Amino acid sequence: MSITLTDTAADRVKTFLAKRGKGVGLRVGVRTTGCSGMAYVIEFADELEEGDTVFEDKGVKVIVNPKSLVYLDGTELDFAREGLNEGFKFKNPNEKDRCGCGESFSV
């Protein structure tokens, strides 16, 4: 099992954590919502919780709770700029379908 980061994503997370002045890493997960059933959740983690799995890639800790791990295994996290928009992009091999608005997915 693994979750990886592109160089661009790793650099962006390091920059955000340095500006915050605290945090142990990036917490990623999924929640039930949207037209396709699930949506990605991403936030900075200030501490680990019981049961968390921690992956380290390019000097960044990626933290995942046990319920989300089965849906995120093999995912690569990227950071991209498209016009005036920028943000993290999930390249998840487990995705079977994605809603038209891009806010949710199914496995």
Side-chain angles (χ1 to χ4, degrees):
M1 295 197 139
S2 70
I3 296 176
T4 58
L5 300 165
T6 63
D7 290 338
T8 306
D11 290 343
R12 194 63 174 182
V13 172
K14 289 176 190 175
T15 300
F16 280 139
L17 286 172
K19 284 182 181 179
R20 283 182 85 229
K22 64 179 181 175
V24 295
L26 189 68
R27 180 176 296 282
V28 296
V30 296
R31 63 182 167 93
T32 304
T33 190
C35 23
S36 289
M38 298 179 162
Y40 295 109
V41 178
I42 189 166
E43 62 188 6
F44 293 102
D46 292 329
E47 58 188 42
L48 297 177
E49 296 175 7
E50 188 175 333
D52 281 344
T53 299
V54 179
F55 300 97
E56 188 155 347
D57 189 34
K58 298 175 181 67
V60 175
K61 288 184 171 116
V62 180
I63 303 154
V64 184
N65 68 46
K67 291 180 182 177
S68 297
L69 187 57
V70 295
Y71 302 109
L72 295 173
D73 183 33
T75 296
E76 179 184 60
L77 194 57
D78 191 13
F79 187 86
R81 287 192 174 127
E82 296 172 1
L84 298 175
N85 297 317
E86 65 179 20
F88 289 99
K89 305 277 184 184
F90 288 80
K91 296 177 185 174
N92 185 344
N94 303 304
E95 269 189 35
K96 301 294 184 225
D97 195 22
R98 186 177 277 255
C99 73
C101 65
E103 292 296 317
S104 62
F105 69 99
S106 64
V107 292

